Amino acid sequence: MNFFQLEVFLHVVEHGSFTKAGDRIGLTQSGVSHNITALETELGVTLLKRDRKGITLTTAGEQVIPHMRAIAANLAHIEQKVAAVNGMEIGKITIGSFPSFTARFIPLLFSAFNEKYPTIELLIYEGGYEEIIKWIEEGTVDIGFAAKPVKNVEFIHLLTDPLSAVVYEGHPLSGRTAINLEDFVDEPFIMLRSGCETLIEDRFLEAKIKPNISYEIKDNQTALSMVAGKLGITIMPDLALPEKPERIKSLPLNPELSREIGLVMKSSKHLSPAAKEFSKLVQDISSGNELT
């Protein structure tokens, strides 16, 4: 097994296609297939399943891919260390982020980093908190953004994001200065399943209140559209709210509820040189109150 075969395999898994993987690394589809076949022959196992639905990992593939990602990450660290000794900055950083953070802050962070390190490539994977933590554990991403609670990863606080009640214009509660948990009891409730549901559910449980959940929605914009359509009311992080809301109104919760957002990683000590620089830049921007 050589590193190029491993790299080809990882690109196929990442892109889910021989053609897309080939475009990424400058190989024809047959060239990609040849490298995968050679790798499987040398290892003596089938790593990928190919059918009309696409390409997926076999059981053997699922077992070995974390180790292959670790090998690729270690080699990238070596290349970055050597480049640093020679006075050059090279590398690639894979970053996990959730939608509301991506929309509000990733353009700012990536632009600032690209200005300082134009030769370091930034790749982003977007998903929910649990996906991001899984990607960190598996080595799919080097570093990520998520909200507490988190397990099995290191967490560095960046900002606190309040959650607010969201009602439609003209709703009986829209004239309030704040919304109490008791106010949700008789209202059709839209539960947002994008990561904050644990905070919301725990708060209702503490207050011994059972909300009337009419819909469970993963997408922030869909939930907002349903509120605007008078299908119910919801609780949502302020980061997910539009800057210019239409047909909806957000109101503070009483008592207040917020999520703690931060950087997540396996270990700050074992980040690649490039990822360490990204982490430092993010923390510097956060400490300067630019993440608000």
Side-chain angles (χ1 to χ4, degrees):
M1 177 179 68
N2 60 54
F3 180 72
F4 185 70
Q5 291 171 344
L6 185 150
E7 184 180 21
V8 172
F9 172 71
L10 292 177
H11 275 292
V12 170
V13 174
E14 177 183 343
H15 296 287
S17 162
F18 279 29
T19 301
K20 291 179 181 178
D23 291 341
R24 179 69 181 171
I25 54 181
L27 284 179
T28 62
Q29 183 175 345
S30 61
V32 172
S33 180
H34 173 76
N35 277 276
I36 296 297
T37 300
L39 177 61
E40 290 178 327
T41 300
E42 187 168 347
L43 293 177
V45 293
T46 300
L47 300 173
L48 298 172
K49 292 184 288 187
R50 311 162 182 83
D51 55 36
R52 287 178 295 179
K53 296 181 180 179
I55 296 172
T56 56
L57 288 167
T58 63
T59 300
E62 290 175 349
Q63 291 177 347
V64 302
I65 196 168
H67 303 288
M68 291 184 171
R69 285 177 172 145
I71 292 170
N74 287 334
L75 184 59
H77 289 197
I78 292 170
E79 291 173 342
Q80 290 172 31
K81 288 285 188 183
V82 171
V85 169
N86 292 327
M88 300 181 295
E89 294 289 351
I90 64 169
K92 177 178 71 173
I93 311 170
T94 50
I95 298 155
S97 180
F98 55 94
S100 58
F101 190 93
T102 301
R104 188 69 64 90
F105 296 126
I106 288 298
L108 165 69
L109 297 175
F110 278 26
S111 294
F113 191 83
N114 285 334
E115 184 176 343
K116 192 173 183 180
Y117 302 103
T119 58
I120 296 179
E121 183 181 8
L122 299 175
L123 299 177
I124 188 163
Y125 289 71
E126 193 173 73
Y129 304 153
E130 291 184 1
E131 287 179 292
I132 293 166
I133 300 305
K134 183 181 179 182
W135 292 335
I136 292 287
E137 292 175 334
E138 293 179 344
T140 302
V141 300
D142 301 305
I143 197 167
F145 300 97
K148 283 188 172 179
V150 296
K151 294 180 180 179
N152 305 319
V153 294
E154 186 175 332
F155 182 92
I156 299 174
H157 173 82
L158 295 176
L159 71 148
T160 300
D161 182 29
L163 274 68
S164 297
V166 185
V167 302
Y168 52 84
E169 287 184 351
H171 188 281
L173 297 173
S174 62
R176 296 278 195 90
T177 56
I179 303 294
N180 301 318
L181 291 181
E182 293 82 2
D183 295 325
F184 290 94
V185 174
D186 297 322
E187 297 287 339
F189 189 75
I190 300 169
M191 177 62 80
L192 190 61
R193 296 283 178 190
S194 61
C196 289
E197 62 270 18
T198 301
L199 288 174
I200 298 169
E201 289 170 340
D202 286 349
R203 179 57 61 87
F204 277 125
L205 191 61
E206 289 170 7
K208 298 180 180 179
I209 292 172
K210 187 176 182 179
N212 176 26
I213 298 175
S214 299
Y215 305 98
E216 299 188 13
I217 304 297
K218 287 187 176 182
D219 181 71
N220 296 331
Q221 189 55 51
T222 300
L224 289 170
S225 297
M226 294 179 74
V227 173
K230 301 183 178 181
L231 295 174
I233 63 177
T234 191
I235 295 175
M236 182 175 289
D238 283 4
L239 271 185
L241 296 172
E243 293 185 10
K244 296 181 179 180
E246 296 183 3
R247 298 184 293 148
I248 61 170
K249 185 176 181 180
S250 63
L251 298 162
L253 290 171
N254 181 35
E256 295 179 352
L257 179 63
S258 62
R259 62 177 175 174
E260 186 178 348
I261 297 172
L263 278 166
V264 289
M265 63 208 78
K266 281 185 179 179
S267 167
S268 55
K269 295 180 180 179
H270 298 122
L271 287 175
S272 70
K276 283 182 180 178
E277 289 302 317
F278 181 79
S279 173
K280 182 178 182 300
L281 178 138
V282 171
Q283 292 177 70
D284 288 344
I285 290 177
S286 175
S287 62
N289 295 320
E290 294 181 56
L291 295 185
T292 56

